[in-house]
Amino acid sequence: MFGGPVPLLSPAQPIPGGPSVDPLHGSFRSSIRREHAEDAARRARDLLTDDVLGRLLTTPREPTTQVPHSRDVFVNRNLRMDHVELIGFDMDYTLAIYHMRRLEQLSFDMTLAKLISEYGYPPFVGGLLYDHHFVMRGLAVDRVNGNVLKMDRFGHVGRAYHGLRPLKRDAWKELYRNKRVRLRNPQFAWNDTLFALPETCLYSGIIELMESLGHTVNYGKLYDDIREAIDTVHRDNSLKREIRKDLARYVFLDPELGPALHKLRSGGKRLFLLTNSAWDYTNAVMRYLLDGQLPEYPSWRNYFDFTVTAAGKPAFFTEARPFLELDSSTEAGKVVGEAKSLERGTVYSGGNLAQFEEFTGYRGEHILYVGDHIYGDILKSKKASLWRTCMIVQEIEDEITYTDQRREEIVTLSEVELTRARLDDEVNHRKTVLNSLERRLEREELPAAERQEVEELRKKTKAELEKLRRSLKETNGIADTLERDVEEGFNPYWGLLFKEGNENSRFGYQVEQYACLYTSRVSNFLHHSPMQYYRSPRDLMAHEQAGALSSKMSPMGSEGPPKGSLEKE
C-alpha cells in the first residue's frame, strides 16, 4: 500500500539517527527559506561589528544609587511594563510591611488566651513561649500524626518535627520516606501566609508540652481549634484593634513607598487597592503609610483610581459577589448600595474579577496585581484570569543578606560538591575497570608476561579505587557538615526558605510557578523604569545544560502562560 514492504532493521546495524546520511528524527537539509537566513546572517555580522553601536552599548551609564541585591525585582516570566496599564496592590504584608516578630507575638498571645478561655485548654499552656525561629512560610501540618513538615518541590519531606523535636528517623521513614505528600489530602494543612505563622508554633508547642506531661492530644482537633481561634482573632478585629493603638510599633514606615507609587503613576499607570481588610482598618493603615509623604498626594486615596476593601479573596477571583459602595466619610463605612460602576474617589467592598474588568475597562495581561499570598493573591488570580502577578516576599531580604555574608563558606561548599560528584564518577569508573581486569585474570589464559602486566594494572587500579573511596567518604562528611552549618545558620529548624536539600522548597517552587515577578517590598519598583522590560533567563533542559547548542538559541524566557496556570492544586 505504501510502495512495498518495509525492510526490517538488522539487529547488527545501528539505529538510524545522529550524523547518519539519512537521520531518523529530523532533517539536516537546508531550510526552504535559506536565502532569507543567509541575508539575516550577513546583517547580524554587520550589526555585531558596528563600532558606533558597540560604543553606545558599552559606555557606562551615569552612576545611579546602588541598590542592594536583596531589594531587586526577580523575574520568573518576562513582563513588559509598557503593556501594563493598571496595577493593583494588596495591603497587608504588601503595601503594609509588618514588624513580624512583634505581630507574631501579639497574635500568639491573643490566640493562646482564647484557647484557654473559650476552648477549654488547660491554663498551664498559657506559659508557652513564642519561638520565632520555629516558624517560616511553606510548612505543612500533618493533622493526623501531629507533625510539621518541610517539603521540596517534588512534595518529598526533607524535615519533620513532632512537637519541638525532630521526628525520629524510623517514624519519618515509615510515614514519609516512600510517599509524596499531596496537600489536597485533608490530612495536611499548608501554611503559606505570614499571618498563619503563629499557629504553627502554637500547634507544635502545645503538643510538646501536653505530651511531655503525659496528656493525649487529638492532633486534628488541636489544629482545627487553633485555626478557628486565630481566625476569630482576625475576624472580630481584636487583633487589628491592638495594632491600631500603636501602628508605629507594628508597621514599618517606608519612605520610598509614596515615591514608588508616584513614579508608576507618572509613567501612565493607573493604580488600585484590593484588600481583604475592612474599610476602618484599611483607612487607618493607609493614612499612616502614605498621608503627607508627597505634596502631590495630601491623602493616600489620591494615589489610587479604585479602592476595594473586604474583597474576600480568593473568592473575589472565583465567585460573583457584587461590589457594594461604602460611605467613606465615616469610620464604619456603611453600605450605600450596590455599585453599578467603579469611580475614582469612591470606596467599595466585595466584588468579583469579571465585574472589575467590566467596570474598569482593563482586562487580562494589561493588569498587574501585587500581593503576598500564594493562594489568595497569586494562584487564584492566575487560574481565574490572565492578570500578571508580582509576589511580595519580605523574607527574601534576610535570606539574600545572610547568604551574601556566608559567601566564602558557600563557595567552598560548591567546590566540595563538584569534587564529590567527580569523585563518585571516578569511583564508579575504577570499579568497572577493576572488575574487567579481575575477569580477565580469572577467565582468560594469558601469557605469563601479559598476566603480570594485567596483575600490576589491577593492583594499581585497586589502590587508586581505595584512595578515591576514602576521599569520597571524607568529602561526603565535609559537604554535609558545611551544608548543615549554612542552612541552620539561617534557621536552626528549617534551613533556608527557598531551598530544601539540593532542591527548591515547595514554597520556592510555588513562587516560581505562579508569580511573574517577586520582590521584597513594593518600594523596590522605585529603582526601575515604569516601562521596564523584566526579562527572565530561559529554563534549560538537562541536555542543554550539558552543552547542547539549542540552549544558545533563545537565552531569554518568554511571556507565555505562567508555569503553574494549568496545574491542579
Side-chain angles (χ1 to χ4, degrees):
M1 181 166 70
F2 295 104
V6 178
L8 295 176
L9 291 175
S10 167
Q13 294 182 358
I15 296 174
S20 64
V21 176
D22 189 16
L24 186 63
H25 305 288
S27 171
F28 297 159
R29 301 179 181 90
S30 299
S31 71
I32 59 175
R33 297 182 179 273
R34 186 61 190 167
E35 67 278 7
H36 298 295
E38 290 173 351
D39 178 61
R42 283 192 296 271
R43 288 186 286 124
R45 287 192 292 272
D46 292 342
L47 182 74
L48 296 173
T49 57
D50 187 317
D51 292 338
V52 175
L53 182 60
R55 283 196 298 273
L56 290 173
L57 293 177
T58 57
T59 301
R61 298 178 184 176
E62 292 295 322
T64 56
T65 304
Q66 186 67 31
V67 180
H69 181 50
S70 60
R71 292 197 55 195
D72 207 344
V73 175
F74 304 99
V75 190
N76 291 321
R77 177 188 171 209
N78 286 9
L79 190 152
R80 297 176 184 265
M81 286 294 285
D82 60 344
H83 290 181
V84 172
E85 300 175 90
L86 182 64
I87 304 177
F89 300 90
D90 185 26
M91 184 181 76
D92 297 303
Y93 308 102
T94 300
L95 291 171
I97 299 295
Y98 290 97
H99 191 301
M100 289 309 303
R101 292 189 182 181
R102 294 173 183 171
L103 184 59
E104 289 164 20
Q105 185 71 60
L106 178 64
S107 179
F108 181 91
D109 292 342
M110 294 182 72
T111 305
L112 191 54
K114 190 172 286 289
L115 287 172
I116 295 169
S117 63
E118 299 182 21
Y119 291 80
Y121 282 79
F124 63 76
V125 303
L128 283 173
L129 298 177
Y130 183 71
D131 181 2
H132 67 269
H133 290 297
F134 192 74
V135 289
M136 66 163 45
R137 274 201 276 191
L139 302 179
V141 172
D142 182 343
R143 299 171 67 256
V144 172
N145 297 293
N147 302 323
V148 179
L149 320 172
K150 186 182 177 201
M151 296 171 289
D152 68 14
R153 66 191 179 103
F154 299 111
H156 297 138
V157 176
R159 301 167 202 246
Y161 278 78
H162 185 82
L164 300 176
R165 307 178 193 190
L167 191 63
K168 292 181 179 178
R169 186 163 185 80
D170 289 346
W172 175 76
K173 289 178 68 175
E174 174 68 23
L175 290 172
Y176 310 117
R177 184 64 184 92
N178 296 315
K179 298 177 183 178
R180 181 178 176 185
V181 172
R182 299 188 179 276
L183 295 178
R184 290 193 299 273
N185 186 332
Q187 173 181 345
F188 300 101
W190 170 242
N191 291 340
D192 63 343
T193 64
L194 287 172
F195 84 82
L197 296 183
E199 70 188 49
T200 305
C201 190
L202 263 176
Y203 186 73
S204 292
I206 290 175
I207 289 173
E208 178 74 24
L209 178 60
M210 295 188 71
E211 290 189 341
S212 68
L213 296 174
H215 295 270
T216 299
V217 179
N218 183 324
Y219 303 126
K221 182 177 185 303
L222 172 62
Y223 181 81
D224 292 342
D225 288 346
I226 292 173
R227 182 94 284 282
E228 186 177 331
I230 205 167
D231 273 349
T232 302
V233 166
H234 283 267
R235 199 166 46 238
D236 67 9
N237 283 327
S238 56
L239 179 71
K240 291 181 176 179
R241 277 197 298 271
E242 291 300 314
I243 296 172
R244 286 185 62 182
K245 290 177 184 177
D246 192 356
L247 284 170
R249 174 174 174 76
Y250 295 106
V251 183
F252 288 108
L253 192 58
D254 186 346
E256 293 183 337
L257 179 59
L261 297 177
H262 170 65
K263 187 172 185 177
L264 292 171
R265 289 188 61 84
S266 299
K269 314 301 182 189
R270 303 184 77 184
L271 308 183
F272 69 95
L273 179 69
L274 180 68
T275 175
N276 282 357
S277 288
W279 162 246
D280 58 341
Y281 184 72
T282 299
N283 189 40
V285 173
M286 294 302 293
R287 286 175 61 187
Y288 170 73
L289 289 174
L290 288 172
D291 275 12
Q293 264 209 7
L294 296 177
E296 301 96 317
Y297 304 89
S299 166
W300 69 268
R301 294 171 64 182
N302 300 132
Y303 288 93
F304 300 98
D305 295 277
F306 312 107
T307 301
V308 182
T309 63
K313 297 172 294 179
F316 178 90
F317 296 108
T318 57
E319 298 179 7
R321 300 180 310 150
F323 283 98
L324 302 176
E325 182 180 335
L326 303 182
D327 177 5
S328 60
S329 64
T330 64
E331 182 170 311
K334 289 183 59 178
V335 175
V336 174
E338 185 173 332
K340 302 303 180 185
S341 64
L342 296 181
E343 304 294 337
R344 181 176 173 82
T346 304
V347 176
Y348 305 90
S349 70
N352 63 86
L353 181 147
Q355 209 167 44
F356 181 85
E357 292 188 338
E358 177 188 346
F359 286 168
T360 64
Y362 297 97
R363 300 179 186 278
E365 295 203 341
H366 295 292
I367 301 175
L368 170 66
Y369 188 64
V370 185
D372 72 289
H373 182 190
I374 287 255
Y375 185 79
D377 296 333
I378 305 298
L379 190 154
K380 279 296 181 182
S381 69
K382 278 297 182 199
K383 292 194 171 184
S385 75
L386 293 177
W387 286 15
R388 306 305 298 272
T389 51
C390 174
M391 185 169 177
I392 300 299
V393 189
Q394 65 184 72
E395 307 99 309
I396 199 170
E397 286 191 34
D398 286 339
E399 183 158 313
I400 291 177
T401 301
Y402 168 75
T403 52
D404 283 349
Q405 292 170 349
R406 302 297 302 273
R407 182 183 304 275
E408 184 177 339
E409 293 94 330
I410 291 172
V411 168
T412 301
L413 174 59
S414 176
E415 292 173 350
V416 171
E417 288 281 13
L418 291 173
T419 302
R420 173 159 65 175
R422 179 69 188 277
L423 285 169
D424 189 51
D425 288 344
E426 291 297 328
V427 164
N428 291 327
H429 173 68
R430 293 303 194 290
K431 285 169 65 176
T432 301
V433 171
L434 184 62
N435 288 338
S436 176
L437 293 171
E438 289 177 342
R439 281 198 302 274
R440 287 192 67 189
L441 291 171
E442 289 175 5
R443 301 176 183 179
E444 296 182 21
E445 294 291 335
L446 299 174
E450 186 177 353
R451 174 169 288 276
Q452 183 177 356
E453 183 180 332
V454 173
E455 179 62 33
E456 290 298 323
L457 184 57
R458 185 192 72 82
K459 290 179 180 178
K460 177 175 177 291
T461 303
K462 186 174 182 180
E464 291 174 345
L465 178 59
E466 291 305 315
K467 168 66 174 174
L468 289 166
R469 278 174 166 164
R470 288 193 300 271
S471 298
L472 178 59
K473 182 177 180 181
E474 174 73 359
T475 306
N476 284 334
I478 292 170
D480 292 345
T481 300
L482 289 177
E483 182 177 4
R484 190 179 309 114
D485 179 60
V486 170
E487 290 204 349
E488 292 180 357
F490 183 76
N491 184 291
Y493 298 98
W494 305 108
L496 297 170
L497 175 65
F498 292 93
K499 306 300 290 185
E500 177 48 45
N502 293 333
E503 296 291 344
N504 289 345
S505 65
R506 180 173 172 82
F507 177 79
Y509 169 76
Q510 289 205 318
V511 171
E512 183 182 42
Q513 292 291 297
Y514 294 106
C516 301
L517 310 176
Y518 62 103
T519 190
S520 64
R521 54 177 105 167
V522 170
S523 60
N524 293 344
F525 283 103
L526 178 63
H527 308 292
H528 297 260
S529 165
M531 300 294 120
Q532 181 82 26
Y533 185 4
Y534 292 103
R535 295 177 175 89
S536 68
R538 182 169 71 85
D539 282 347
L540 296 180
M541 295 187 70
H543 70 283
E544 293 178 315
Q545 294 177 21
L549 287 178
S550 57
S551 64
K552 303 292 185 183
M553 293 177 64
S554 304
M556 307 310 296
S558 75
E559 298 170 44
K563 299 173 185 176
S565 60
L566 301 179
E567 288 189 1
K568 293 181 179 180
E569 283 299 303

